[in-house]
Amino acid sequence: MAWYNSTTKHFDLGPPMYPVSENTNPNATINPVFELAYWRFGLTVALNWKRRQGQNVPRTWTNVLNNLAPLPIVNETYPIYEGVPEMWIDPVTFTDHPAMIGIYGLLPPTPDVNLTIVANTATKISEIWDFENLFGWDFPMLAMNAARLGRSEQAIKYLLDVNFDFDDVGMPIGGPRVPTPYFPGSSSLLMAIACMAGGWDGDGGSHFPEGWDVESEGFWRCL
């Protein structure tokens, strides 16, 4: 839940909480990047639905949305959560889900997302993240981010990564820590391909690498 921090004058998420990665200390985890962005996105959608239906928007919703904590930044990159020690030094912090990259790709960008910092974060992840211990759906999430950043070749590399695997009958292998079949892997692959085929709001159409001959029809643009 969000709670009001009288010192910063912002609403914080946690502690205690587990973010997407689930590999952090819940008593120290505060304002994880992906969850902050998801709260902003979710509250914005909820407010728009209320207005569209001619209903009153609860003041508490608007208050939280307008005063939610800003996305934390470490060395011009987005970390897992605010105050995480040694984000790009301690291997424990760059394993499991690289969820912070989902704020631009899996989610549509919220107004506070800085694309330069997103790009820096994506580059850092590609350089040092522990890909052997990712879950199946992480690779399509990374691919959706790469595609939105205009890095279509990198998007394809993520989708064809040796660690993003399927068994002999086509069942998705989720990685070394989950049983097969791991269907989030296959569903996220479909989502990533759909986004690359149909584009997204403000940039529709194919986003496959130059020189690829891809035909698609009937795809709605992603948000």
Side-chain angles (χ1 to χ4, degrees):
M1 63 175 291
W3 61 277
Y4 186 68
N5 186 327
S6 59
T7 301
T8 63
K9 310 300 182 184
H10 289 125
F11 284 93
D12 291 336
L13 301 183
M17 74 171 299
Y18 277 110
V20 173
S21 59
E22 299 184 72
N23 67 339
T24 65
N25 180 350
N27 294 318
T29 301
I30 183 172
N31 293 329
V33 167
F34 180 79
E35 284 73 8
L36 281 172
Y38 216 155
W39 268 68
R40 283 193 175 86
F41 170 68
L43 282 171
T44 299
V45 170
L47 265 60
N48 288 337
W49 283 1
K50 281 285 190 181
R51 296 185 182 110
R52 190 171 61 192
Q53 294 171 357
Q55 299 181 11
N56 292 327
V57 174
R59 290 184 179 180
T60 52
W61 295 10
T62 304
N63 188 33
V64 172
L65 176 60
N66 292 339
N67 295 286
L68 203 58
L71 298 177
I73 298 171
V74 172
N75 296 329
E76 296 302 303
T77 63
Y78 287 123
I80 297 174
Y81 64 89
E82 181 181 318
V84 57
E86 301 182 329
M87 175 63 223
W88 303 108
I89 299 173
D90 185 353
V92 172
T93 65
F94 48 86
T95 188
D96 214 284
H97 303 294
M100 61 283 209
I101 211 62
I103 66 175
Y104 189 65
L106 183 60
L107 294 178
T110 50
D112 58 331
V113 170
N114 183 308
L115 295 188
T116 299
I117 295 176
V118 169
N120 293 343
T121 308
T123 298
K124 197 70 174 178
I125 288 172
S126 70
E127 292 172 346
I128 71 170
W129 207 269
D130 180 10
F131 292 106
E132 292 184 0
N133 282 300
L134 289 187
F135 291 77
W137 63 269
D138 291 320
F139 292 98
M141 176 179 67
L142 288 163
M144 285 186 277
N145 169 260
R148 288 217 192 205
L149 288 172
R151 303 174 181 180
S152 56
E153 293 282 358
Q154 180 65 60
I156 294 298
K157 287 181 181 179
Y158 281 132
L159 295 179
L160 297 179
D161 191 283
V162 66
N163 297 294
F164 182 42
D165 202 6
F166 294 77
D167 67 16
D168 292 342
V169 296
M171 293 295 184
I173 298 173
R177 292 179 290 168
V178 292
T180 298
Y182 184 70
F183 289 114
S186 54
S187 59
S188 59
L189 171 61
L190 293 174
M191 184 176 179
I193 293 297
C195 285
M196 295 183 71
W200 41 85
D201 285 347
D203 192 6
S206 176
H207 288 77
F208 288 92
E210 184 177 352
W212 281 50
D213 185 12
V214 178
E215 294 186 14
S216 62
E217 61 180 49
F219 283 94
W220 289 86
R221 287 178 294 179
C222 298
L223 294 175

